[in-house]
Amino acid sequence: MALPKVPPSAFSIPRFRQITLSTPFTAFLALAVCACTARAQAQSADRVPQSFDPTPAIVLANHHPLWASPANDLGALDANKTIDNLTLVLARSPEQQAAFNRFLQEQQTPGSSEYHHWLTPIEIGARFGLSDHDIASISGWLESQGLHVNWVAPSKIFIAFGGPAASLGHAFGTSMHAYNVHGDQRISVSSDPKVPTALAPVILAVRGLFTIQERPQSHSRVETSASPEMTLSDGSHAIAPADFATIYDLPTSVNGSGVTIGIVGESRTDMADFTNFKSLTGTSFTNPTEIIPT
Protein backbone atom coordinates (compact mmCIF):
# COMPACT_ATOMS: atom_id res chain seq x y z
CA MET A 1 0.00 0.00 0.00
CA ALA A 2 1.18 3.57 -0.63
CA LEU A 3 2.47 5.68 2.23
CA PRO A 4 -0.04 8.25 3.53
CA LYS A 5 -0.23 11.58 1.73
CA VAL A 6 2.08 14.24 3.10
CA PRO A 7 0.06 17.27 4.26
CA PRO A 8 0.94 20.62 2.64
CA SER A 9 2.20 21.89 6.01
CA ALA A 10 5.00 19.35 5.82
CA PHE A 11 6.74 21.29 3.07
CA SER A 12 5.42 24.85 3.44
CA ILE A 13 8.63 26.67 4.37
CA PRO A 14 8.03 30.30 5.49
CA ARG A 15 11.23 31.75 3.96
CA PHE A 16 10.09 30.74 0.45
CA ARG A 17 6.95 32.86 0.65
CA GLN A 18 8.74 36.04 -0.45
CA ILE A 19 10.17 34.44 -3.60
CA THR A 20 8.29 34.42 -6.88
CA LEU A 21 8.81 31.12 -8.68
CA SER A 22 7.55 29.83 -11.97
CA THR A 23 4.73 27.29 -11.76
CA PRO A 24 6.79 24.36 -13.22
CA PHE A 25 9.65 25.00 -10.79
CA THR A 26 7.26 25.30 -7.86
CA ALA A 27 5.70 21.96 -8.75
CA PHE A 28 9.15 20.38 -9.07
CA LEU A 29 10.20 21.77 -5.68
CA ALA A 30 7.06 20.48 -3.99
CA LEU A 31 7.51 17.02 -5.49
CA ALA A 32 11.16 16.92 -4.45
CA VAL A 33 10.33 17.83 -0.86
CA CYS A 34 7.50 15.28 -0.80
CA ALA A 35 9.87 12.58 -2.03
CA CYS A 36 12.45 13.46 0.64
CA THR A 37 9.76 13.43 3.33
CA ALA A 38 8.46 10.01 2.20
CA ARG A 39 11.98 8.58 2.22
CA ALA A 40 12.56 10.00 5.71
CA GLN A 41 9.38 8.27 6.91
CA ALA A 42 10.53 4.95 5.48
CA GLN A 43 13.98 5.04 7.09
CA SER A 44 14.75 4.51 10.77
CA ALA A 45 17.76 6.05 12.45
CA ASP A 46 20.59 3.69 13.39
CA ARG A 47 20.84 3.22 17.16
CA VAL A 48 23.50 0.50 17.43
CA PRO A 49 27.15 1.55 16.99
CA GLN A 50 29.26 0.00 14.24
CA SER A 51 31.32 -1.91 16.83
CA PHE A 52 30.70 -2.55 20.52
CA ASP A 53 31.79 -4.62 23.50
CA PRO A 54 29.79 -7.91 23.40
CA THR A 55 30.22 -8.52 27.13
CA PRO A 56 26.78 -9.00 28.78
CA ALA A 57 26.38 -6.13 31.23
CA ILE A 58 22.81 -4.80 31.42
CA VAL A 59 20.27 -6.97 33.25
CA LEU A 60 16.91 -7.77 31.61
CA ALA A 61 14.59 -7.92 34.60
CA ASN A 62 11.68 -10.34 35.08
CA HIS A 63 13.24 -13.15 33.03
CA HIS A 64 13.91 -15.52 35.95
CA PRO A 65 10.77 -17.34 37.22
CA LEU A 66 10.28 -17.91 40.94
CA TRP A 67 10.07 -21.69 40.46
CA ALA A 68 13.65 -21.72 39.13
CA SER A 69 14.95 -21.87 42.69
CA PRO A 70 17.93 -23.70 44.20
CA ALA A 71 15.51 -26.10 45.90
CA ASN A 72 14.15 -27.23 42.50
CA ASP A 73 17.49 -27.15 40.65
CA LEU A 74 18.54 -30.37 38.88
CA GLY A 75 21.78 -28.89 37.58
CA ALA A 76 23.07 -27.36 34.36
CA LEU A 77 21.77 -28.59 31.02
CA ASP A 78 24.04 -30.49 28.67
CA ALA A 79 26.23 -27.85 27.01
CA ASN A 80 25.28 -29.10 23.52
CA LYS A 81 21.54 -29.33 24.11
CA THR A 82 19.90 -27.22 21.41
CA ILE A 83 17.27 -24.74 22.56
CA ASP A 84 15.35 -23.31 19.64
CA ASN A 85 12.27 -21.17 19.13
CA LEU A 86 13.66 -18.27 21.14
CA THR A 87 12.57 -14.75 20.26
CA LEU A 88 14.39 -11.48 20.76
CA VAL A 89 11.75 -8.79 21.26
CA LEU A 90 13.14 -5.49 20.00
CA ALA A 91 12.34 -2.01 21.32
CA ARG A 92 11.30 0.91 19.17
CA SER A 93 12.80 4.28 20.04
CA PRO A 94 10.53 6.48 22.21
CA GLU A 95 9.84 8.65 19.15
CA GLN A 96 8.95 5.63 17.02
CA GLN A 97 6.68 4.21 19.70
CA ALA A 98 4.91 7.54 20.13
CA ALA A 99 4.44 7.79 16.34
CA PHE A 100 3.14 4.21 16.22
CA ASN A 101 0.65 4.90 19.03
CA ARG A 102 -0.57 8.01 17.20
CA PHE A 103 -0.92 6.03 13.99
CA LEU A 104 -3.04 3.36 15.72
CA GLN A 105 -5.30 6.08 17.13
CA GLU A 106 -5.61 7.88 13.81
CA GLN A 107 -6.54 4.62 12.08
CA GLN A 108 -9.74 4.72 14.12
CA THR A 109 -10.36 8.48 13.81
CA PRO A 110 -12.77 9.46 10.99
CA GLY A 111 -11.42 12.41 9.02
CA SER A 112 -7.78 11.54 9.69
CA SER A 113 -5.55 10.90 6.68
CA GLU A 114 -4.68 7.58 8.34
CA TYR A 115 -8.30 6.54 8.90
CA HIS A 116 -8.65 2.85 7.93
CA HIS A 117 -5.17 2.97 6.39
CA TRP A 118 -4.11 -0.63 6.95
CA LEU A 119 -0.42 -1.48 6.60
CA THR A 120 1.30 -4.73 5.73
CA PRO A 121 3.93 -6.08 8.16
CA ILE A 122 6.65 -4.88 5.76
CA GLU A 123 5.20 -1.36 5.77
CA ILE A 124 5.03 -1.45 9.57
CA GLY A 125 8.72 -2.37 9.62
CA ALA A 126 9.63 0.41 7.20
CA ARG A 127 7.83 3.09 9.18
CA PHE A 128 8.13 1.90 12.77
CA GLY A 129 10.72 -0.88 12.94
CA LEU A 130 14.44 -0.88 13.63
CA SER A 131 16.83 0.09 10.85
CA ASP A 132 18.41 -2.52 8.60
CA HIS A 133 21.77 -1.66 10.13
CA ASP A 134 20.51 -2.33 13.66
CA ILE A 135 18.86 -5.60 12.63
CA ALA A 136 22.12 -6.71 11.01
CA SER A 137 24.13 -5.68 14.08
CA ILE A 138 21.89 -7.59 16.49
CA SER A 139 21.82 -10.65 14.22
CA GLY A 140 25.60 -10.47 13.88
CA TRP A 141 26.00 -10.36 17.65
CA LEU A 142 23.82 -13.47 18.09
CA GLU A 143 25.81 -15.37 15.48
CA SER A 144 29.13 -14.25 17.00
CA GLN A 145 28.00 -15.92 20.24
CA GLY A 146 27.54 -19.30 18.55
CA LEU A 147 23.79 -18.91 18.05
CA HIS A 148 21.81 -18.96 14.80
CA VAL A 149 19.13 -16.61 13.51
CA ASN A 150 16.03 -18.40 12.24
CA TRP A 151 14.10 -15.45 10.86
CA VAL A 152 13.52 -11.71 11.21
CA ALA A 153 9.91 -10.53 11.38
CA PRO A 154 8.89 -8.20 8.51
CA SER A 155 7.82 -5.70 11.19
CA LYS A 156 11.49 -5.57 12.32
CA ILE A 157 10.42 -6.00 15.92
CA PHE A 158 11.20 -9.71 16.46
CA ILE A 159 14.24 -11.90 15.75
CA ALA A 160 13.84 -15.66 16.18
CA PHE A 161 16.99 -17.54 17.12
CA GLY A 162 18.37 -20.56 18.94
CA GLY A 163 21.47 -22.56 19.70
CA PRO A 164 23.32 -24.71 22.25
CA ALA A 165 22.62 -24.21 25.95
CA ALA A 166 26.25 -23.27 26.64
CA SER A 167 26.22 -20.59 23.94
CA LEU A 168 22.97 -19.14 25.27
CA GLY A 169 24.40 -18.94 28.76
CA HIS A 170 27.58 -17.27 27.51
CA ALA A 171 25.71 -14.75 25.34
CA PHE A 172 23.35 -13.68 28.10
CA GLY A 173 25.69 -13.91 31.10
CA THR A 174 23.84 -16.76 32.81
CA SER A 175 23.43 -20.55 32.52
CA MET A 176 20.64 -22.91 31.47
CA HIS A 177 19.46 -25.38 34.14
CA ALA A 178 16.83 -28.09 34.51
CA TYR A 179 14.31 -27.82 37.35
CA ASN A 180 11.80 -30.19 38.96
CA VAL A 181 8.60 -28.32 39.80
CA HIS A 182 6.02 -30.55 41.50
CA GLY A 183 7.13 -33.49 39.38
CA ASP A 184 7.17 -31.45 36.18
CA GLN A 185 10.62 -31.04 34.59
CA ARG A 186 11.28 -27.59 33.19
CA ILE A 187 14.23 -25.55 31.96
CA SER A 188 15.19 -22.00 32.80
CA VAL A 189 18.01 -19.52 33.08
CA SER A 190 19.57 -19.65 36.54
CA SER A 191 19.46 -15.84 36.81
CA ASP A 192 18.13 -12.87 34.90
CA PRO A 193 19.93 -12.60 31.54
CA LYS A 194 22.14 -9.68 30.53
CA VAL A 195 22.82 -8.01 27.20
CA PRO A 196 25.69 -5.81 25.98
CA THR A 197 25.38 -2.14 27.00
CA ALA A 198 25.18 -1.03 23.36
CA LEU A 199 22.22 -3.33 22.68
CA ALA A 200 20.23 -2.59 25.84
CA PRO A 201 18.23 0.30 24.26
CA VAL A 202 17.06 -1.90 21.37
CA ILE A 203 16.28 -5.15 23.22
CA LEU A 204 13.04 -5.24 25.17
CA ALA A 205 12.92 -8.91 26.17
CA VAL A 206 13.98 -12.44 25.32
CA ARG A 207 11.17 -14.98 25.06
CA GLY A 208 11.87 -18.69 25.50
CA LEU A 209 14.60 -18.68 28.15
CA PHE A 210 12.36 -20.63 30.51
CA THR A 211 9.50 -23.09 30.17
CA ILE A 212 6.11 -21.44 29.86
CA GLN A 213 2.86 -23.29 30.43
CA GLU A 214 1.04 -22.00 27.37
CA ARG A 215 -2.68 -21.41 27.75
CA PRO A 216 -4.71 -19.81 24.95
CA GLN A 217 -6.49 -16.56 25.74
CA SER A 218 -9.38 -17.63 23.52
CA HIS A 219 -12.01 -19.97 24.89
CA SER A 220 -14.52 -22.10 23.04
CA ARG A 221 -18.09 -22.54 24.17
CA VAL A 222 -21.22 -24.22 22.95
CA GLU A 223 -23.94 -21.91 21.64
CA THR A 224 -27.34 -23.41 21.01
CA SER A 225 -30.01 -21.39 19.24
CA ALA A 226 -32.72 -21.85 16.67
CA SER A 227 -30.83 -19.56 14.28
CA PRO A 228 -27.63 -17.50 14.19
CA GLU A 229 -27.58 -14.45 16.47
CA MET A 230 -25.77 -11.19 15.78
CA THR A 231 -25.84 -10.32 19.50
CA LEU A 232 -25.30 -13.23 21.88
CA SER A 233 -27.02 -13.75 25.21
CA ASP A 234 -24.05 -12.34 27.15
CA GLY A 235 -24.03 -9.11 25.14
CA SER A 236 -21.07 -9.98 22.91
CA HIS A 237 -21.43 -9.39 19.19
CA ALA A 238 -20.62 -11.35 16.05
CA ILE A 239 -19.00 -9.65 13.04
CA ALA A 240 -21.21 -9.90 9.95
CA PRO A 241 -19.99 -9.36 6.35
CA ALA A 242 -21.16 -5.72 6.34
CA ASP A 243 -19.16 -5.06 9.52
CA PHE A 244 -16.05 -6.56 7.95
CA ALA A 245 -16.53 -4.48 4.78
CA THR A 246 -16.90 -1.28 6.84
CA ILE A 247 -13.84 -1.96 8.97
CA TYR A 248 -11.60 -2.61 5.98
CA ASP A 249 -13.24 -0.22 3.48
CA LEU A 250 -13.94 -3.02 1.02
CA PRO A 251 -15.34 -1.87 -2.33
CA THR A 252 -18.76 -3.21 -3.25
CA SER A 253 -17.14 -5.22 -6.04
CA VAL A 254 -15.44 -7.42 -3.44
CA ASN A 255 -18.02 -9.93 -2.28
CA GLY A 256 -16.09 -13.20 -1.95
CA SER A 257 -17.25 -14.64 -5.24
CA GLY A 258 -14.83 -17.11 -6.76
CA VAL A 259 -13.09 -17.74 -3.44
CA THR A 260 -13.15 -21.17 -1.82
CA ILE A 261 -12.36 -21.50 1.87
CA GLY A 262 -11.78 -24.79 3.65
CA ILE A 263 -13.04 -24.95 7.24
CA VAL A 264 -12.02 -27.60 9.74
CA GLY A 265 -14.75 -27.97 12.33
CA GLU A 266 -15.39 -30.13 15.36
CA SER A 267 -19.04 -30.83 14.68
CA ARG A 268 -21.59 -31.26 11.92
CA THR A 269 -23.27 -28.17 10.48
CA ASP A 270 -26.97 -27.44 10.10
CA MET A 271 -27.73 -26.13 6.62
CA ALA A 272 -30.67 -24.18 8.06
CA ASP A 273 -28.10 -22.03 9.88
CA PHE A 274 -26.66 -20.86 6.57
CA THR A 275 -30.12 -19.99 5.26
CA ASN A 276 -30.91 -18.00 8.40
CA PHE A 277 -27.51 -16.28 8.27
CA LYS A 278 -28.16 -15.10 4.71
CA SER A 279 -31.55 -13.75 5.76
CA LEU A 280 -30.15 -11.90 8.80
CA THR A 281 -27.15 -10.37 7.02
CA GLY A 282 -28.58 -9.79 3.55
CA THR A 283 -25.85 -11.86 1.94
CA SER A 284 -25.88 -14.48 -0.78
CA PHE A 285 -23.53 -17.43 -1.11
CA THR A 286 -23.55 -21.09 -2.00
CA ASN A 287 -23.91 -23.42 0.94
CA PRO A 288 -20.64 -25.23 1.69
CA THR A 289 -20.03 -28.87 0.88
CA GLU A 290 -19.69 -30.84 4.09
CA ILE A 291 -17.08 -33.63 4.05
CA ILE A 292 -17.17 -36.11 6.93
CA PRO A 293 -13.84 -37.98 7.40
CA THR A 294 -14.20 -41.75 7.55
Side-chain angles (χ1 to χ4, degrees):
M1 298 174 66
L3 290 173
K5 295 180 180 179
V6 180
S9 60
F11 53 84
S12 295
I13 306 175
R15 65 173 179 270
F16 286 163
R17 292 176 180 171
Q18 303 300 322
I19 302 175
T20 302
L21 300 174
S22 65
T23 301
F25 184 80
T26 303
F28 169 80
L29 177 64
L31 289 172
V33 176
C34 283
C36 291
T37 304
R39 284 197 296 270
Q41 282 185 333
Q43 296 174 349
S44 301
D46 296 339
R47 296 158 61 201
V48 179
Q50 289 288 347
S51 60
F52 55 88
D53 182 358
T55 303
I58 304 299
V59 174
L60 295 177
N62 303 316
H63 282 65
H64 181 233
L66 293 177
W67 50 258
S69 62
N72 296 331
D73 198 346
L74 297 177
L77 292 180
D78 184 300
N80 296 318
K81 178 177 175 59
T82 298
I83 301 176
D84 231 328
N85 300 319
L86 297 161
T87 305
L88 210 58
V89 183
L90 307 180
R92 297 184 175 98
S93 68
E95 295 78 13
Q96 278 183 314
Q97 191 60 51
F100 184 62
N101 293 341
R102 284 195 303 271
F103 172 72
L104 294 180
Q105 183 176 13
E106 291 171 1
Q107 277 186 316
Q108 307 298 328
T109 304
S112 168
S113 61
E114 301 286 12
Y115 182 60
H116 283 190
H117 179 200
W118 314 116
L119 302 183
T120 66
I122 292 177
E123 290 170 329
I124 290 286
R127 289 184 59 176
F128 306 109
L130 274 66
S131 70
D132 291 338
H133 166 269
D134 289 352
I135 293 292
S137 295
I138 298 168
S139 299
W141 166 70
L142 289 170
E143 291 169 348
S144 72
Q145 301 301 303
L147 305 172
H148 55 264
V149 173
N150 297 328
W151 50 263
V152 176
S155 63
K156 297 182 181 178
I157 260 327
F158 304 105
I159 297 178
F161 69 102
S167 297
L168 282 170
H170 179 266
F172 292 101
T174 183
S175 57
M176 302 298 301
H177 283 224
Y179 294 86
N180 187 317
V181 184
H182 305 301
D184 180 27
Q185 186 164 324
R186 307 178 187 178
I187 63 171
S188 172
V189 287
S190 58
S191 61
D192 276 326
K194 300 175 183 178
V195 294
T197 302
L199 297 183
V202 296
I203 295 180
L204 187 63
V206 184
R207 189 184 188 280
L209 289 177
F210 59 87
T211 302
I212 297 176
Q213 302 297 328
E214 301 278 17
R215 292 183 176 85
Q217 292 185 334
S218 59
H219 301 278
S220 61
R221 62 184 180 186
V222 177
E223 286 288 337
T224 302
S225 63
S227 64
E229 296 179 349
M230 300 299 103
T231 301
L232 304 181
S233 57
D234 63 358
S236 58
H237 304 285
I239 295 180
D243 298 318
F244 187 88
T246 299
I247 293 171
Y248 292 101
D249 292 325
L250 296 183
T252 55
S253 58
V254 177
N255 55 21
S257 60
V259 177
T260 300
I261 301 175
I263 301 174
V264 179
E266 296 182 353
S267 64
R268 298 286 295 271
T269 56
D270 186 343
M271 291 300 168
D273 286 340
F274 296 111
T275 301
N276 292 332
F277 183 83
K278 295 174 194 177
S279 175
L280 287 169
T281 61
T283 55
S284 176
F285 54 87
T286 303
N287 285 350
T289 300
E290 188 174 64
I291 301 174
I292 309 300
T294 58

